[in-house]
């Protein structure tokens, strides 16, 4: 009798629990749906500005500052009518204290509406100019400062007065001649020592999006799909795994001298910017800092800590200021167009048409520079870093059916060494993270249908 | 006296199932609840600026394979839809549907004219990324990659993205519907140099 009563009580408890759970569950889900539906579904005003800063100019080029302005009122769903935008550029010669205001004038360039101004030569001097722009669309009440750091971190345009010319002529594809040594390999998969592949029917293969190499020769591969970092110590064929709590999408990564692993994600929660996450060498997350701009694309380590290349400013911004994580405002106010290396040296690289321009900056002036021209189209500059007194540049050459990377070692008088590498980019990775330079060794992240690998190429001095 | 463990277990199980079931139903009803099949507006005047604005309104919205309907609230209203399922009814376009709508093309592949589709008009269009890559359809042509400008596209056999801006280092800012985990947004990409990608251009811009 007692056992029957106990059974009945248990059944009643279970039924009541299920009933309450169903009611609460549906209520909670409906509440979350209602919350989502409260957001505006109508078209919003559009106001966005892009600008390609002329980082390095030649003496015969004018400094033409053009801002593509995308502006549309909410009721103009086609966006073709545009809206009344206006703006001012504030310019000063490098070294000058005050900015002069130059009004921007409307024009159409490259098929889009622009606000633009040609900077008078009187501003240029021998060191170049600093500038920032304030733009507004009065009809929709929107304003933007570009770069967002304004006067504290302006754009910089420097003249190349005495650059060394290097002519690559026409590139012959398929003539790669430098043998590398494979220092890391992982087949695609989710098992031990493998790297995960994100692959959908409407998505190309994406996997192992970033890598780095420390001074001891250990290779670190970000296996973001499996949320871990694979590590090969120098000479080891077997990788160990460090779990990291990343969000699993394309990301960039750099490893600091103290073993900290910095991951820059490229996707973010609604209304937020991508995060830079710092992990210790065991994978414990130490801190996460939100990047200041919408489209950060690279993370690297400088003496003072990690720096992130932001867009639309195209500035390198510190993620640590005075030893503590930087606020977004601090990131913007400390942005600069070049990457800093030892001895106060800064390197600025830019591709303009079929030409790559590279300058070494010291004391705010160009001390050495190169103009590398090619008869074959040049795409992105993957790497531009000093190697002793030389500079190593890796850029991609392409036509409509082929592409390769050209590795250039530039010296005071021109080209010291040059070789080509196949692009080996079967799987998509972080856009600008395929090469790392550690001392005289250049490392390349590559992939094929069988797996992902890192090859080392020892640079030579002829 | 009732047995608390059984009450709690029953509650937890039912809550999870009810919440998940209701939430899943919501996620897969975005198209049914929000989208329309209105006739597009024909227009003879189309600018790259206008298409950039159309693209920017899709930014931060979701991704849906074979989809083509989104609002402008800067969030994916159908997050984490199952991958590789074109029938989940989630928010967003896929890469080729997004491009079709931003380039304001017609369903008739022989028609190079312009059609303004509303954000909430569900339409994918007749082209895959591979078809765009081949320059299929009257409005689309292949073009050398080195000469491509804003609102032209890079297309592979599996993906297509539109040029939003060129970066000083020679990479591009691409606006694209990338995938369910990515949504629709602007990212730095190196499609220009990659031999997996070809250049594609929509013809007939007014300026």
């Amino acid at each position: 009798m007692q056992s029957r009563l106990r059974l009945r009580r248990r059944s009643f408890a279970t039924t009541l629990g299920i009933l309450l759970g169903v009611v609460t569950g549906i209520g909670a889900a409906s509440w979350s749906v209602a919350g989502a539906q409260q957001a505006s579904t109508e078209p919003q005003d559009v106001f966005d500005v892009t600008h390609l800063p002329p980082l390095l100019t030649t003496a015969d080029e004018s400094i033409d500052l053009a801002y593509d302005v995308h502006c549309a009122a909410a009721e103009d769903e086609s966006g073709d009518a545009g809206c009344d935008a206006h703006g001012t550029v504030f310019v000063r010669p490098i070294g000058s204290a005050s900015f002069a205001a130059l009004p921007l004038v409307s024009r159409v360039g490259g098929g889009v509406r622009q606000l633009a101004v040609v900077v008078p030569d009187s501003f240029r001097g021998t060191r170049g100019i600093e500038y920032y722009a304030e733009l507004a669309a009065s009809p929709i009440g929107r304003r933007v400062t570009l770069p967002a750091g304004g006067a504290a971190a302006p754009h910089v345009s420097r003249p190349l007065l005495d650059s060394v010319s290097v002519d690559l002529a026409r590139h012959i594809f398929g003539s790669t001649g430098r043998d590398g040594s494979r220092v890391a390999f992982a087949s695609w998969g989710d098992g031990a020592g493998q790297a995960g592949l994100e692959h959908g029917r409407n998505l190309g293969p994406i996997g192992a999006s970033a890598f780095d190499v420390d001074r001891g020769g250990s290779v670190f591969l970000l296996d973001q799909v499996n949320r871990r970092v694979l590590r090969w110590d120098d000479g080891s064929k077997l990788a160990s795994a460090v779990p990291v709590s990343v969000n699993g999408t394309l990301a960039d990564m750099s490893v600091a001298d103290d073993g900290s692993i910095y991951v820059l994600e490229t996707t973010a929660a609604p209304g937020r910017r991508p995060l830079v996450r710092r992990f210790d060498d065991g994978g414990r997350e130490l801190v996460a800092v939100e990047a200041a701009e919408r489209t950060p694309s690279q993370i690297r380590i400088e003496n003072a800590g990690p720096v992130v290349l932001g867009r639309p400013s195209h500035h390198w911004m510190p993620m640590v200021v005075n030893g503590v994580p930087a606020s977004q405002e601090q990131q913007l106010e400390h942005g600069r167009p070049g990457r800093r290396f030892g001895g106060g040296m800064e390197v600025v690289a830019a591709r303009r048409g079929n030409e790559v321009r590279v300058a070494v900056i010291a004391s705010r002036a160009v001390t050495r520079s190169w103009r590398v021209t090619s008869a074959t189209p040049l795409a992105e500059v993957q790497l531009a870093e000093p190697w002793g007194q030389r500079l190593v540049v890796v850029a991609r050459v392409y036509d409509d059916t082929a592409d390769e990377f050209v590795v250039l070692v530039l010296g005071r008088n021109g080209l010291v060494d040059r070789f080509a590498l196949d692009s080996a980019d079967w799987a998509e990775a972080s856009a600008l993270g395929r090469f790392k330079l550690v001392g005289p060794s250049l490392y390349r992240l590559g992939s094929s249908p069988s797996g992902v690998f890192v090859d080392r190429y020892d640079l030579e001095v002829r | 006296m009732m047995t608390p463990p059984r009450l709690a277990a029953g509650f937890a199980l039912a809550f999870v199932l009810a919440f998940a079931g209701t939430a899943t139903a919501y996620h897969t009803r975005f198209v049914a609840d929000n989208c329309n099949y209105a006739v597009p507006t024909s227009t003879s005047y189309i600018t790259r600026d206008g298409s950039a604005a159309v693209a920017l309104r899709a930014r931060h919205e979701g991704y849906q394979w074979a989809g083509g309907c989104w609002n402008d609230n800067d969030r994916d209203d159908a997050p984490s839809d199952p991958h590789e399922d074109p029938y989940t009814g989630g928010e967003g376009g896929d890469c080729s549907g997004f491009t079709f709508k931003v380039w304001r093309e017609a369903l008739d592949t022989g028609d190079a004219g312009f059609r303004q589709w509303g954000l909430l008009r569900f339409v994918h269009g007749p082209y895959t990324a591979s078809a765009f890559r081949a320059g299929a359809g009257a409005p689309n042509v292949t073009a050398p990659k080195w000469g491509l400008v804003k609102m032209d596209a890079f297309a592979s056999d599996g993906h297509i993205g539109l040029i939003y801006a060129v970066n000083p280092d020679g990479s591009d800012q691409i606006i694209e519907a990338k995938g369910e985990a990515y949504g629709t947004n602007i990212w730095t990409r190196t499609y220009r140099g990659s031999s997996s990608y070809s250049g594609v251009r929509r013809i007939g811009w007014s300026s």
Side-chain angles (χ1 to χ4, degrees), chain A residues 9-14 16-22 24-26 28-30 32-33 35-37 39-46 48-53 55 68-70 72-80 108 110-113 198-204 206 224 248-250 266-267 270-271 273 294-295 297-298 309 311-312 314 349-352 377 379-382 396-403 423 425 428 431-432, chain B residues 1-4 6-8 10-16 18-20 22-23 26 33-34 43 45-54 56-57 59-61 63 65-66 70-77 83-84 94-96 104 116-120 129 133 143-147 149-150 158-159 164-173 176-179 181-182 185-199 207:
Chain A
R9 277 180 185 156
R10 284 177 180 171
S11 299
F12 177 70
T14 307
L16 184 63
I18 289 172
L19 197 63
L20 285 171
V22 166
T24 314
I26 291 174
S30 302
S32 74
V33 169
Q37 288 177 333
S40 166
T41 58
E42 297 298 317
Q44 301 176 39
D45 295 331
V46 171
D48 199 54
V49 179
T50 64
H51 171 61
L52 180 62
L55 299 178
D68 292 357
V69 179
H70 305 295
E75 58 273 19
D76 176 21
E77 195 165 335
S78 77
D80 291 318
V108 173
V112 299
R113 294 183 190 89
E198 188 180 348
H199 201 158
R201 293 178 67 171
N202 199 227
L203 186 71
I206 299 172
Q224 81 277 6
T249 57
L250 276 164
T266 59
T267 56
R273 306 287 196 199
R294 61 165 165 77
T295 316
S297 58
Q298 277 181 287
L309 179 59
R311 317 277 189 204
H314 312 294
R351 195 266 292 167
R352 183 182 173 115
E380 81 276 8
V381 179
Q382 283 274 340
R396 195 189 309 237
V397 289
Y398 73 100
D399 61 19
D400 282 314
T401 58
D403 68 308
S423 53
D425 57 354
E428 187 172 352
L432 298 169
Chain B
M1 188 176 166
M2 285 191 294
T3 52
R6 284 184 173 258
L7 180 71
F11 177 85
L13 180 67
F15 178 86
V16 168
F19 184 89
T22 308
Y26 163 72
D33 290 348
N34 297 282
T43 175
Y45 181 77
I46 179 174
T47 65
R48 290 176 187 268
D49 282 316
S51 281
V54 173
L56 287 167
R57 286 197 170 111
R59 195 173 163 220
H60 302 307
E61 306 303 330
Y63 170 94
W65 187 35
W70 55 83
N71 58 28
D72 192 14
N73 66 355
D74 291 342
R75 56 176 291 167
D76 182 356
D77 290 305
H83 293 203
E84 303 191 33
D94 66 10
C95 61
S96 52
R104 294 180 274 182
Q116 181 67 42
W117 305 91
L119 295 183
L120 290 168
R133 184 186 192 190
K145 289 192 288 185
W146 57 265
V149 297
K150 183 169 292 208
H159 186 60
Y164 183 62
V166 178
N167 296 323
D169 54 35
S171 61
D172 293 279
Q173 291 176 57
E176 58 188 343
K178 182 69 171 171
Y182 297 84
N185 208 337
I186 300 169
W187 287 280
T188 292
R189 303 289 188 221
T190 51
Y191 299 157
R192 186 181 295 268
S194 170
S195 55
S196 299
Y197 284 82
S198 301
S207 61

Side-chain angles (χ1 to χ4, degrees), chain A residues 62-424:
Chain A
S62 60
I63 302 180
D64 184 1
L65 305 181
Y67 296 83
D68 292 357
V69 179
H70 305 295
C71 179
E75 58 273 19
D76 176 21
E77 195 165 335
S78 77
D80 291 318
C83 68
D84 182 21
H86 56 90
T88 303
V89 168
F90 298 89
V91 185
R92 68 182 178 193
I94 290 178
S96 175
S98 58
F99 287 91
L102 302 176
L104 290 163
V105 177
S106 295
R107 73 179 188 194
V108 173
V112 299
R113 294 183 190 89
Q114 295 180 330
L115 289 171
V117 66
V118 176
V119 177
D121 286 344
S122 56
F123 283 92
R124 301 180 71 167
T126 57
R127 297 166 72 182
I129 63 166
E130 295 175 326
Y131 67 96
Y132 66 97
E134 291 181 348
L135 302 103
S138 302
I140 57 174
R142 301 277 292 273
R143 310 180 64 84
V144 66
T145 299
L146 195 66
H155 279 133
V156 182
S157 178
R158 293 185 169 92
L160 298 178
L161 300 177
D162 191 21
S163 55
V164 176
S165 295
V166 174
D167 182 7
L168 299 180
R170 182 158 299 284
H171 184 78
I172 300 170
F173 290 101
S175 61
T176 57
R178 188 67 57 95
D179 291 329
S181 53
R182 187 141 300 175
V183 294
F185 175 82
S187 59
W188 299 119
D190 303 330
Q194 293 185 307
L197 198 56
E198 188 180 348
H199 201 158
R201 293 178 67 171
N202 199 227
L203 186 71
I206 299 172
S209 69
F211 84 111
D212 204 356
V213 183
D214 70 12
R215 293 177 196 272
S218 296
V219 177
F220 301 79
L221 183 71
L222 177 61
D223 174 17
Q224 81 277 6
V225 174
N226 293 317
R227 292 174 169 80
R228 63 191 179 189
V229 172
L230 299 178
R231 174 179 174 153
W232 289 261
D233 288 325
D234 192 19
S236 172
K237 297 283 186 191
L238 297 175
S240 56
V242 179
V244 289
S245 56
V246 296
N247 70 12
T249 57
L250 276 164
D252 198 17
M253 178 187 73
S254 276
V255 178
D257 285 346
D258 68 358
S260 294
I261 299 167
Y262 290 92
V263 175
L264 168 65
E265 297 180 330
T266 59
T267 56
R272 312 302 304 182
R273 306 287 196 199
L275 290 174
V276 171
R277 299 180 189 272
R278 180 187 176 197
F279 304 94
D280 67 15
D281 57 6
R284 185 167 59 99
E285 184 165 343
L286 303 175
V287 68
V289 182
E290 198 169 322
E293 290 198 298
R294 61 165 165 77
T295 316
S297 58
Q298 277 181 287
I299 184 164
R300 296 292 179 267
I301 306 296
E302 292 184 352
N303 284 341
V307 290
V308 161
L309 179 59
R311 317 277 189 204
S313 72
H314 312 294
H315 273 174
W316 288 94
M317 300 180 189
M319 302 309 293
V320 172
V321 172
N322 299 326
V324 297
S327 67
Q328 292 183 324
E329 191 176 44
Q330 287 175 315
Q331 294 173 44
L332 296 172
E333 289 179 349
H334 288 79
R336 51 196 311 120
R339 270 190 66 198
R340 278 179 171 171
F341 297 89
M345 178 197 301
E346 185 177 335
V347 174
V348 174
R351 195 266 292 167
R352 183 182 173 115
N354 287 356
E355 180 177 337
V356 168
R357 297 173 178 179
V358 193
V360 175
I361 316 292
S363 302
R364 305 184 76 192
V366 174
T367 57
R368 287 184 293 156
S369 62
W370 295 264
R371 296 181 61 188
V372 180
T373 55
S374 168
T376 305
L378 293 167
E380 81 276 8
V381 179
Q382 283 274 340
L383 181 141
E385 295 185 13
W387 172 40
Q389 294 300 308
R390 301 176 179 82
L391 199 80
V392 179
V393 174
V394 183
R396 195 189 309 237
V397 289
Y398 73 100
D399 61 19
D400 282 314
T401 58
D403 68 308
E404 289 178 350
F405 292 110
V406 287
V407 179
L408 310 172
V409 180
L410 303 173
R412 194 165 289 277
N413 298 314
L415 198 59
V416 176
D417 190 16
R418 166 189 180 175
F419 58 95
L421 299 173
D422 62 336
S423 53

